[in-house]
Each structure stands twice: as C-alpha cells, then as structure tokens.
Amino acid sequence: MAPVLTRRRLSSGLVALAAVSGLAEAGTGRTYQAEVLASDGRPVSGAPIHRTLAAAIAAAPVGGIAPFRILLRRGVFDEQIVVDRPFVHLVGESRTGSVISHLAASGLVAPDGRNWGTTRTPTLTVRAPGFRAERLTIANAFDGLAEMTRPGGLRSHDGAGPQAVSLMLAEGSDRAVISDCDILGYQDTLFADSGMAAFERCRITGSYDFIFGAGRVWFEACEIRSRPRPVDPVDGYVTAPSTPLEQPFGLVFHRCRLTREPGTARHSVYLGRPWRPTKTFSDGRYGDPDRVGAATFLDCWMDDHVAPDGFTEMWHTGRDGNPRTMLQPENARFATHGSRGPGAGAFSRGARLTRAGAAAITRSAVVGTLS
C-alpha cells in the first residue's frame, strides 16, 4: 500500500512553499491563451480560465502551429498531465510557487488495480513537439527517502527504491525547452527518452539514475543536486543514458553545478552508468546492443560527493540470458573536460576530452537552434 503519511508530508511542504512565494512578473508584456487558477485565485491575464492544467491543455489546438501559452498561477496542482498538443508553453507565476505534483511510484498500485510501472509514473509526460516550460516546479510527491528507510519498504529488482518519474520526454516529444524550473524527485526523476531538448538554469534533484534515457539533451547552467541513500554505501548515479549508437550525442552538461543535499556521503555518487534497455529480438530477449550510453560533462563544478572513478558499470541481460552481464563505462561514451570544485579530479574511468574535442561539443551541435 502507498505510505499515506508520505503524501501528506511532501504535499504540505509544497503548499507552504507556494504560500510564501512572491508574485513574479507573470502576465506583463505577454499574451496567454489560457490561465489555470487555484481555488482562491483571481484572474490576471484576461485569458480563458481553467481550474485544472489538464483542462487548459485540452483547449490547445490538436494541430497547432503557434505557441499556446498557459499561465499557471501560484498553487499546488495535484494532477498527472500528458501534453499531447504541439507548441504548448507552460509559464508559472512563481518558480517555487507554481507547482505541478503527483504521487506515483513503480511499486505502488494505480487506481486501475495494476502497478504503476516506470513509464506510467510521470507527473508530466510530453508527447508532442515544441513544448516549453518556464518558471515552475514539476515534482513527483513520492518520498523515496522515507520509503527506503522504513521496515519492509518497497524495492525494485536491483535493490533500489521504486522509480518515481517527475518529467518524461516521451515518443513524439522534440525540440523542448525547459527554463528556470525545479524538477524534483528521488529515483528516475527526469526521463529524457526522445527527441532533442534543452534545460536552462534548472534545478534537478534525485539520487538513483535520476537523469536517464535515450534523448539528445543539452543542460546549460543547471544545478544537479544529489540526495542521500542511507541504505546503500553508493548514494547514487547522476545519469543512466541509453543513447542509440547512431546518435552522436546523449546527455551533455555545460557549466552546470553538481551539488548535494546534507547526508549525501563524500565520494558516493557516480556521474553515470550505461543503461542498456531490454528488447525482444528474433533469437530472444536481451539488452539492446545498439544502445551505447553517452554523457558528457563540460566545465562543470562538482562537490565532493562525486566518486573518484567518475563513471561505473551497469548490468543488463546478455544475449546468453545472463541477467548480470556488465557494460563497462569504457565501452560506452562517457567523458569530462574542465571539471572543477572539490569533486573534480583525474577520474579513473571515462574519457578525458582534449580542449579541441570539448570545443567541438556545442549547443548547436548537440540540439541545433531550439526556438
């Protein structure tokens, strides 16, 4: 059963956060096509009013070719959202006060009687091109820390806590831009699995594989904040890319800050490990050999929670059926350049780019011009 106190604890915290947030400059000099109000809100934009974000997104044209801007007022909106209309732009009134939050985790039972499973847990799933989010918070309200430390707490097949995704860029998503947002979770927080995307000045929190997937993504000046896992000497892995082999770039972090919450141990977090998802072939079901994870850290500041190895291995089901076949980081595409801070060093695993090699990895090369 779902830990009821977990939802109450986190939801009450988000409500308090929203209450103290100041009014941002939302609604000035910008036209909106919809406005989402909390129960006690007053309209400010002159756009059609909706009481749920789902209703506002449903009002967007199915075949839209221009931005459909939705102003999300201050409040905690407990919804599970799918963006299936193109060019939907979500703009929060306050980065910490406009909160989209939902509790779903892979080991819990959904309202339909089935377990959620990873891909059904996201608070917000994007399945259309041209999505934007600006100045708001997207959170999965599942309290991973409380769950993993309680007796009999839920565990996934590899002994970790259950997956609880906050934001998923799914099939159909492309050319997404997420700016000045907080994306909060614990395990598998950001599932960037499809298309190209850019994250600018965002804060992304988690502990275990909390930025993962097959997407081609540029992270600019973001804070990547690791959270503790007291049940394991390894506090976590920042990335778990499953990049297709023919794709030259996966997850690229430029001038980001890798920070940690109190309780995250020194040298306990790896920058990444290569995820090879299982796929069904004519001769069996095993890890897809065409998935060779790629993650690059350029000119990033790193606190001392980062492990000296930098990167590590990850298991998958081999062609021979062995479920503990290891894919080593040297056989994937992991690299760093220009690292600094207490956690920076001569990482023993993963490539060290030359200055010329690093200079060739630019935003335009990775994701082109997203507009």
Side-chain angles (χ1 to χ4, degrees), residues 45-357:
S45 69
I49 302 302
H50 301 273
R51 291 295 177 178
T52 67
L53 179 55
I57 291 171
V62 173
I65 58 174
F68 187 89
R69 296 187 180 91
I70 300 172
L71 174 61
L72 189 68
R73 301 293 303 283
R74 285 186 297 160
V76 179
F77 298 87
D78 186 354
E79 300 184 56
Q80 194 169 34
I81 298 297
V82 176
V83 178
D84 55 2
R85 312 294 173 93
F87 302 106
V88 168
H89 293 188
L90 303 183
V91 182
E93 183 179 64
S94 164
R95 175 169 175 161
T96 57
S98 301
V99 180
I100 311 165
S101 178
H102 185 76
L103 194 159
S106 58
L108 303 180
V109 178
D112 62 6
R114 298 185 294 129
N115 277 9
W116 281 107
T118 305
T119 58
R120 296 208 302 156
T121 65
T123 297
L124 193 153
T125 301
V126 180
R127 297 190 179 278
F131 173 77
R132 284 179 178 260
E134 177 184 343
R135 204 172 54 240
L136 50 81
T137 291
I138 304 166
N140 191 309
F142 182 75
D143 192 333
L145 180 60
E147 183 65 21
M148 74 174 65
T149 54
R150 76 178 179 89
L154 295 169
R155 295 287 184 272
S156 63
H157 65 89
D158 59 1
Q163 295 85 358
V165 180
S166 298
L167 172 62
M168 180 177 182
L169 304 179
E171 185 177 357
S173 171
D174 194 25
R175 307 185 69 76
V177 178
I178 294 87
S179 303
D180 301 297
C181 290
D182 288 352
I183 303 167
L184 310 179
Y186 217 90
Q187 180 169 334
D188 292 12
T189 305
L190 171 58
F191 193 177
D193 202 41
S194 184
M196 294 187 293
F199 289 76
E200 305 164 340
R201 302 173 302 279
C202 292
R203 176 186 294 120
I204 306 166
T205 71
S207 69
Y208 207 85
D209 300 336
F210 65 100
I211 302 175
F212 70 114
R216 185 164 168 162
V217 189
W218 181 268
F219 297 86
E220 179 69 36
C222 292
E223 180 188 2
I224 311 300
R225 181 180 293 180
S226 290
R227 309 181 73 180
R229 287 184 75 243
V231 298
D232 193 318
V234 176
D235 274 328
Y237 313 88
V238 174
T239 68
S242 56
T243 319
L245 181 60
E246 72 276 6
Q247 189 171 296
F249 301 105
L251 309 175
V252 181
F253 300 82
H254 182 239
R255 296 182 180 175
C256 293
R257 290 178 58 83
L258 277 64
T259 65
R260 61 186 176 98
E261 286 189 356
T264 306
R266 186 170 179 263
H267 294 170
S268 67
V269 175
Y270 291 93
L271 296 174
R273 58 180 186 163
W275 175 35
R276 180 161 281 178
T278 301
K279 183 178 178 179
T280 300
F281 297 89
S282 60
D283 59 346
R285 184 170 169 79
Y286 47 87
D288 186 349
D290 289 331
R291 296 297 184 98
V292 184
T296 305
F297 294 80
L298 302 174
D299 299 323
C300 292
W301 185 93
M302 303 178 182
D303 208 341
D304 65 359
H305 62 300
V306 175
D309 283 353
F311 304 92
T312 192
E313 63 191 10
M314 190 173 187
W315 54 84
H316 64 279
T317 300
R319 194 167 184 170
D320 60 358
N322 178 8
R324 300 289 294 186
T325 301
M326 292 296 182
L327 180 59
Q328 302 298 330
E330 291 79 12
N331 295 323
R333 293 173 287 174
F334 291 114
T336 61
H337 180 269
S339 305
R340 61 192 188 281
F347 300 123
S348 60
R349 311 194 74 176
R352 304 275 292 190
L353 295 172
T354 64
R355 181 177 296 181

